[in-house]
Amino acid sequence: MTPVNLSSTVADDEPPVSLWRDAWHRLLRNKLAVAGLAVVILLAFVAVFGPWLTPYDFLTQDLEARNQAPSLAHLFGTDDLGRDVFSRVVYGTRTAFVVAIVVTTIAVAIGVTLGAMAGFFGGLFDRIVMWFTDMTMSVPNLLLVVVINASLKTPITAWMEARYQATLNPFYRETIWVDFLLVFGSMALISWPPYARLVRAQVLSIRGRPYVTAARALGLTNRLILMRYIVPNAIGPLIVSVSAGLGTAMVLESAFSFLGVGVNPPTPSWGNMISDGLRVWQHYPHLLAAPAAVLGLATVAFSFLGDGLNDALNPRGSK
């Protein structure tokens, strides 16, 4: 009687490990990526719940406590108006995350749509999309954002003031929505080309695969082939690019706010806080150090997370 190898039988019956579960296990083995993920989750928690946990409102002024050094009462000190810097940095985290998520979502939606269609259909449409992509990438980012803000902010603000005079609705006096609208639009306009190029390259390598040819033979529509068979198989590199793009969007928003073409005071932004602190850093270094340190921490965390995702989703390329 031939003995049965139970271990091999059990092993053969075990379900195969999915790609995403295997990538998750590889990500957890990367200590720097796990640290980056932990910092990103912490910053996200602060962005959502932080303003309710801070001891002061970010707009509350105390002229008797101006420019105080960090202490137990004010963890990051106070600014020249007596506002708590810690509370402003926490609220600035929300501003950075809102801008990063909204801008990246818009840019990914535009980039994936145009890149997938250009790679799938090719021909004249592909050449037009790539020409528009190259043209957008050739314009300096700062110049494009300055032009958009300078040309649109004044007429939009004037229209809102006219609407307020006609309706007396206080909503039209909230110009912060104009800042966010222009920041979202201008940053999304300069952020989508890399996603379009990446998705187009992935689609070009996938559209000739046997399962795509089989889907065509079965009579499936182009839209269904794109949505069901091509885009899902191109999503891995896109996830890595998006994780890095979130950090880049935060840096861009801070840079534009620093230059005065982003989110303007009194709404806290790491960029405008760094701009304010830079003028007095020799006397009050905490006004510059606090927002700059948080911005640097967020950037490094997203960088580590992006590298870890790249190694996890593309193990062959990381060797």
Side-chain angles (χ1 to χ4, degrees):
M1 184 176 180
T2 305
V4 178
N5 190 343
L6 297 178
S7 60
S8 62
T9 304
V10 174
D12 292 339
D13 293 337
E14 291 180 354
V17 179
S18 67
L19 171 64
W20 298 107
R21 183 178 298 178
D22 187 45
W24 174 251
H25 291 325
R26 282 196 297 268
L27 179 66
L28 292 180
R29 290 196 293 267
N30 189 325
K31 295 182 179 179
L32 289 178
V34 172
L37 178 61
V39 172
V40 169
I41 292 175
L42 176 61
L43 290 175
F45 177 83
V46 170
V48 176
F49 300 105
W52 288 286
L53 303 177
T54 54
Y56 305 95
D57 183 77
F58 69 92
L59 289 176
T60 300
Q61 300 181 14
D62 184 3
L63 298 181
E64 296 181 356
R66 294 184 301 167
N67 296 320
Q68 289 188 356
S71 63
L72 292 179
H74 302 279
L75 295 180
F76 290 168
T78 59
D79 62 9
D80 58 343
L81 295 177
R83 297 173 298 188
D84 183 61
V85 176
F86 176 76
S87 300
R88 293 182 62 77
V89 169
V90 167
Y91 199 92
T93 306
R94 169 176 289 187
T95 301
F97 262 85
V98 168
V99 172
I101 291 174
V102 173
V103 168
T104 304
T105 301
I106 297 174
V108 168
I110 297 173
V112 169
T113 301
L114 294 180
M117 294 176 64
F120 185 76
F121 294 108
L124 179 61
F125 183 79
D126 182 27
R127 291 195 294 271
I128 293 175
V129 170
M130 287 300 100
W131 173 82
F132 192 61
T133 300
D134 294 338
M135 184 183 66
T136 304
M137 296 182 69
S138 66
V139 179
N141 293 345
L142 179 59
L143 177 61
L144 185 59
V145 172
V146 170
V147 169
I148 292 174
N149 279 266
S151 59
L152 295 180
K153 186 168 185 177
T154 300
I156 293 177
T157 304
W159 177 82
M160 292 184 66
E161 180 63 24
R163 293 301 302 167
Y164 173 76
Q165 296 296 336
T167 64
L168 297 180
N169 188 338
F171 170 80
Y172 293 107
R173 280 287 175 91
E174 297 291 337
T175 57
I176 180 58
W177 299 112
V178 179
D179 292 337
F180 276 115
L181 176 64
L182 294 177
V183 168
F184 293 157
S186 58
M187 288 183 61
L189 187 61
I190 65 176
S191 300
W192 68 266
Y195 299 117
R197 282 182 167 274
L198 175 63
V199 173
R200 174 181 176 270
Q202 292 295 313
V203 172
L204 287 174
S205 66
I206 292 173
R207 69 178 185 179
R209 301 283 176 86
Y211 57 84
V212 177
T213 304
R216 290 179 185 273
L218 291 173
L220 272 67
T221 62
N222 290 330
R223 178 179 176 276
L224 192 59
I225 293 174
L226 272 171
M227 298 300 296
R228 181 175 295 181
Y229 298 104
I230 293 183
V231 173
N233 286 284
I235 207 71
L238 184 64
I239 293 175
V240 177
S241 182
V242 167
S243 66
L246 289 169
T248 302
M250 287 185 177
V251 174
L252 284 175
E253 182 276 323
S254 298
F256 296 150
S257 296
F258 176 83
L259 296 172
V261 293
V263 179
N264 293 321
T267 302
S269 166
W270 293 338
N272 58 44
M273 293 181 68
I274 292 173
S275 178
D276 293 339
L278 191 62
R279 294 194 291 265
V280 294
W281 72 271
Q282 292 179 321
H283 302 286
Y284 310 107
H286 65 278
L287 297 180
L288 174 63
V294 177
L295 175 60
L297 179 64
T299 305
V300 171
F302 277 107
S303 177
F304 285 161
L305 179 59
D307 290 341
L309 286 173
N310 182 53
D311 295 342
L313 295 172
N314 186 24
R316 292 182 179 180
S318 62
K319 291 180 179 179

